[in-house]
Amino acid sequence: MISANLSAIFYLISGVLFILALRGLSSPETSRQGNFFGILGMTIAITVTFLSLGNFSAGFIYVIIFLLAGGSVGAFIAYKIPMTAMPELVAGFHSLVGLAAVFVAIAAFLNPGAFNLGAPGNIKLGSLIEMSIGAAVGAITFSGSVIAFLKLQGIMSGSPITFKGQHPLNALILFSIIILIFLLCTSQSSNLFWTLLVVSFLIGFLLIIPIGGADMPVVISMLNSYSGWAAAGIGFTLENSALIITGALVGSSGAILSYIMCKGMNRSFFNVILGGWGATDQSSTNQNKEQKPVKSGNADDAAFLMKNASSVIIVPGYGMAVAQAQHALREMVDTLKKDGIKVSYAIHPVAGRMPGHMNVLLAEANVPYDEVFELEEINNDFANADVAFVIGANDVTNPVAKTDPQSPIYGMPVLDVEKCKSVLFVKRSLSPGYAGIDNDLFYKENTLMLFADAKKMTEDITKNL
């Protein structure tokens, strides 16, 4: 057993390591170092927590067993999961964090003496407030993350699910949660506690179902923030400084990321939270799709255009992730660079299904960091580029975001690929993107559609080059 003062020092060290981890993860160049700091900080926090327990009872063995079991399952999932399923994995893990907060709150409410919080029916007021808030936020995180997982996995429609009076109902439920917490703190009734949990689970579902596919990356970062605040709330209940620090860091960083992404998409943060974006009628957008002329080509056509270009901009998207085409893309780019052609990559803030999705895939293929540019850095270059090679990036290249006020993505900054002399768009079909709307770029005069699997098409282009 170690003293409380020594535990506090080690928890502070782990907190500093978590801050360094966040700083490292802010850039691809330092992300490995950031991961190392995060792992080291968590290892110290877990070790100190165990050493602080003092008398190791028989129950301690069960803790070790479940810790090893959970760690083994997590390691196996992390090893086997493809990068295409990373957003779903993140949403699933967020749900587990929320559920863990709910379970800790239930245990503390039913047996407060084990947590030094008082006795049943006579729990310390401050602890009860913290416990109630942590449980409510945890329940919202769990149910909301489940809906996000189902939408991302395709089990549930990615389209917004709305009904009349939805926003007033959500406001009423959120207000009722505040009232329930107040009544619970005054009466400490177990019935009110269980009601609070049920209502919190319900509002989690209702908050996420009306959010459309175009805004799912924001939802992921928002749920990340929720999971952090849930952990921080339970940290206060357990009087564990490491959990408070970690939860606050995750909660605040997730909130900041959500704000940055909303700003990058020209979205109101509160409108995304309340849902309903993307709920417009898409029939007018898609009804004339088959009547529009589309130019299609093959790998030989694409290779000819690229070989005679002086500059090429690559725009990766979720289609590249699905096809696992990042390595084939890197090989194609290397071939182009050998011929003296300037190549760069343009990354939209919400390309893929979660923040940084494309950056991670390109890093996996060892693409040099200095060739990868964010939207603000490269958008003006499209007008001077000879070829834009769009590999599965649909919604983030759709010009309708600038022209159609009725579109669910109207106002979202998009990559100006249509300004290139030639646009090569690799896609299996003319089907709409995750936002559920047709892409006007398909029908532009300077666009050549390459209908094929992204990896197969990229490999064929490399052969022709």
Side-chain angles (χ1 to χ4, degrees), residues 98-414:
L99 192 60
V102 172
F103 282 156
V104 172
I106 292 173
F109 185 80
L110 296 179
N111 188 12
F115 298 86
N116 297 319
L117 303 179
N122 190 29
I123 302 174
K124 299 175 184 177
L125 179 60
S127 299
L128 191 57
I129 294 173
E130 296 156 2
M131 183 194 311
S132 303
I133 295 175
V137 176
I140 293 171
T141 303
F142 171 75
S143 53
S145 298
V146 168
I147 295 298
F149 172 85
L150 295 176
K151 281 177 173 274
L152 290 166
Q153 189 68 17
I155 299 173
M156 183 177 180
S157 172
S159 301
I161 300 174
T162 58
F163 53 86
K164 190 175 181 180
Q166 188 171 44
H167 294 325
L169 176 61
N170 289 349
L172 180 63
I173 294 176
L174 289 172
F175 182 71
S176 69
I177 288 176
I178 298 174
I179 298 299
L180 283 169
I181 292 176
F182 174 77
L183 295 175
L184 176 63
C185 292
T186 55
S187 67
Q188 302 204 13
S189 166
S190 59
N191 290 333
L192 287 174
F193 179 77
W194 296 114
T195 302
L196 173 65
L197 291 181
V198 171
V199 172
S200 299
F201 279 125
L202 176 62
I203 192 61
F205 288 119
L206 294 176
L207 283 174
I208 304 302
I209 59 172
I211 298 179
D215 290 323
M216 285 310 292
V218 181
V219 172
I220 295 296
S221 58
M222 180 187 72
L223 291 170
N224 176 51
S225 178
Y226 286 177
S227 68
W229 297 126
I234 295 304
F236 280 106
T237 300
L238 299 178
E239 297 182 349
N240 186 297
S241 57
L243 196 54
I244 295 171
I245 293 171
T246 306
L249 286 173
V250 173
S252 56
S253 61
I256 293 170
L257 178 60
S258 299
Y259 172 77
I260 292 173
M261 293 183 67
C262 283
K263 186 177 180 181
M265 296 168 65
N266 195 30
R267 290 283 195 258
S268 163
F269 182 74
F270 291 103
N271 281 332
V272 173
I273 300 300
L274 292 174
W277 279 102
T280 55
D281 181 15
Q282 305 301 331
S283 57
S284 60
T285 307
N286 296 325
Q287 62 183 359
N288 297 322
K289 179 174 66 175
E290 299 300 327
Q291 302 172 7
K292 297 178 182 178
V294 175
K295 292 194 297 182
S296 63
N298 54 34
D300 187 53
D301 299 325
F304 176 80
L305 286 171
M306 288 190 182
K307 192 179 298 184
N308 289 280
S310 59
S311 62
V312 175
I313 299 179
I314 311 291
V315 182
Y318 189 66
M320 183 190 76
V322 172
Q324 288 290 286
Q326 61 269 28
H327 296 284
L329 181 65
R330 167 68 194 273
E331 185 179 351
M332 184 192 80
V333 169
D334 287 344
T335 304
L336 290 171
K337 289 195 292 187
K338 286 179 182 178
D339 291 336
I341 299 170
K342 179 185 176 183
V343 183
S344 51
Y345 298 80
I347 306 294
H348 192 280
V350 294
R353 298 282 177 85
M354 65 180 294
H357 201 176
M358 294 302 105
N359 301 79
V360 173
L361 287 172
L362 295 178
E364 184 183 350
N366 295 317
V367 171
Y369 298 130
D370 59 359
E371 295 178 5
V372 181
F373 299 92
E374 299 296 329
L375 179 145
E376 297 85 359
E377 300 173 305
I378 201 171
N379 225 16
N380 292 331
D381 295 346
F382 283 104
N384 301 316
D386 295 312
V387 175
F389 185 74
V390 184
I391 179 166
N394 201 330
D395 298 324
V396 298
T397 62
N398 197 339
V400 77
K402 298 177 287 186
T403 59
D404 184 6
Q406 302 304 314
S407 171
I409 64 170
Y410 180 70
M412 182 179 83
V414 293

